[in-house]
Every structure is written in structure tokens, then in C-alpha cells.
């Protein structure tokens, strides 16, 4: 009996989440399909029912599997002030030096940017869509959807949100390469101070 669309969608999501963990841990080149499927509790034979290739799966991970975007999308607050405080807290946690190991392991932006840069046009476009989603979430105000925020924002506001995203991701990539220590801590603290300045000036 064929599996229903809901079951198929859930299985696909399990594969994407498993692949995200594997790619972030080992890198795109080193993470194999067998390991991804085993981690998802599935056999390799089912892979091609969901994805055309490993590259197709990687593009899907880059487009959709980002903890920072999920955290920003899940924000809830009763007032605009509480919303802004929540946003600052999420960004503070993301850039906190004591969280470097966790973020480097769990954040596709931090862990897979270099792999994306070496990827095909399809892979880079998927990464670009996720980056745009992140910018839209940073632009989002209390009571807005991400789509509304993108449409409402001026070019200057979009540029400011992009700058925050680039600063946060870029600093994490460098800090991850440096590893825990004074240099990484200084870089992350400097990035957080700049992000906080932008956010508190309400440039978005």
C-alpha cells in the first residue's frame, strides 16, 4: 500500500534533519548517504524516493535547516518592547563565546557556509534563499509576518539587516576555525556589541 503524503513529508523531514546533523558534524564531502539514512532510522533504498542526489539533499538542508531562523520565527511577545528584548536575547545567545561549540555544531550557517561557497549554482541559490529568510526574520516586527516585514522594509533597512546577518555568521565561521580561546571570544564579543548597537538604534 503506498504511503500517504503526510507520512512521506514526515519521512523527508527526518532525512533532512539527519543530513543537517551529519553535514554540520563531518562536512558535506565526508557525510555519506548511508550514515544519513541510518541516523534517520531508514535504509538507503528509500533515499531516492525523496531526493534526486546527495547534492539535492544538501541544497534542501541549506534552504530549510537553520536553527537561528527557526528560533527567530518562533518568537512570541505581548508587546513590541518585549519582542525587541526577545530578539536581542536570541542574538546574544547566538554570539555568546560560551555557546561557540554548540552553535558551530548546530547552526548550518556557521558550519556549512564554506561548503556552500564551494557548491554548485543550485546549492548556492539554496543558501541564498535561507539568507534572505534570515534577513526577513531580522526585519520582522511585533505583529508582522516575515513576508510583510520584507515588503515593508526600505532598502536601507534590508541592508542593515543583511549587515547584521553577515556579521553574525561571518564571525561565527571565523571563531569556529579559531576554536575556543581568547581570539574567538574577542571576535564574538565585538560582533555582539556591533549587533546590539544596530538593534538598539532601531535601524530595522
Amino acid at each position: 500500500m503506498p504511503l500517504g503524503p503526510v507520512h512521506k513529508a514526515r519521512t523527508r523531514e527526518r532525512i533532512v534533519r539527519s543530513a543537517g546533523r551529519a553535514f554540520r558534524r563531518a562536512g558535506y564531502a565526508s557525510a555519506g548517504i548511508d550514515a544519513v539514512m541510518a541516523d534517520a532510522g531508514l535504509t538507503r533504498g528509500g533515499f531516492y524516493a525523496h531526493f534526486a542526489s546527495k547534492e539535492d539533499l544538501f541544497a534542501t538542508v541549506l534552504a530549510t535547516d537553520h536553527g537561528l531562523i527557526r528560533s527567530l520565527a518562533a518568537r512570541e511577545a505581548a508587546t513590541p518592547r518585549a519582542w525587541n528584548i526577545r530578539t536581542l536575547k536570541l542574538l546574544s545567545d547566538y554570539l555568546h563565546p560560551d555557546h561557540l561549540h554548540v552553535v558551530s555544531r548546530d547552526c548550518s550557517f556557521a558550519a556549512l557556509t564554506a561548503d556552500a561557497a564551494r557548491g554548485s549554482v543550485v546549492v548556492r541559490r539554496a543558501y541564498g534563499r535561507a539568507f534572505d529568510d534570515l534577513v526577513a526574520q531580522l526585519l520582522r516586527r511585533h505583529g508582522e509576518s516575515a513576508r510583510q516585514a520584507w515588503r515593508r522594509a526600505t532598502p536601507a533597512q534590508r541592508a542593515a539587516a543583511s549587515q547584521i546577518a553577515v556579521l553574525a555568521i561571518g564571525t561565527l565561521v571565523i571563531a569556529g576555525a579559531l576554536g575556543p580561546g581568547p581570539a574567538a571570544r574577542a571576535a564574538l564579543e565585538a560582533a555582539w556589541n556591533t549587533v546590539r548597537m544596530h538593534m538598539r538604534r532601531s535601524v530595522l
Side-chain angles (χ1 to χ4, degrees), residues 6-158:
V6 173
H7 184 277
K8 187 171 183 178
R10 288 176 177 169
T11 301
R12 178 183 171 90
E13 180 62 20
R14 281 168 60 192
I15 296 170
V16 170
R17 292 297 180 91
S18 173
R21 291 190 294 270
F23 292 149
R24 289 190 293 269
R25 180 176 61 248
Y28 171 67
S30 298
I33 291 175
D34 287 340
V36 167
M37 296 300 283
D39 182 67
L42 301 164
T43 62
R44 182 189 178 96
F47 176 82
Y48 292 100
H50 300 276
F51 300 96
S53 64
K54 181 182 173 184
E55 181 187 63
D56 180 26
L57 174 58
F58 185 47
T60 303
V61 168
L62 289 175
T64 64
D65 190 25
H66 295 275
L68 179 58
I69 293 176
R70 284 193 293 270
S71 295
L72 290 168
R75 281 171 293 177
E76 293 182 357
T79 66
R81 174 176 167 75
W83 177 272
N84 293 339
I85 291 172
R86 179 61 181 155
T87 302
L88 282 169
K89 179 65 166 59
L90 287 171
L91 292 172
S92 173
D93 287 346
Y94 187 70
L95 288 166
H96 199 290
D98 291 345
H99 301 165
L100 176 59
H101 174 70
V102 174
V103 174
S104 295
R105 182 191 66 207
D106 295 340
C107 173
S108 294
F109 284 122
L112 298 175
T113 289
D115 283 324
R118 290 188 291 267
S120 67
V121 171
V122 170
V123 165
R124 294 197 302 274
R125 284 176 178 168
Y127 183 94
R129 289 195 298 275
F131 185 84
D132 287 345
D133 288 344
L134 175 59
V135 170
Q137 287 295 339
L138 289 170
L139 288 166
R140 192 158 66 96
R141 294 174 180 172
H142 184 258
E144 279 186 326
S145 68
R147 179 173 295 183
Q148 288 170 333
W150 184 267
R151 291 175 176 172
R152 180 263 308 158
T154 65
Q157 288 170 328
R158 290 181 188 175

Side-chain angles (χ1 to χ4, degrees), residues 88 192 195-203:
L88 282 169
W192 164 238
V195 166
R196 179 173 55 185
M197 178 186 70
H198 277 289
M199 298 295 293
R200 288 187 171 174
R201 287 180 176 176
S202 299
V203 295

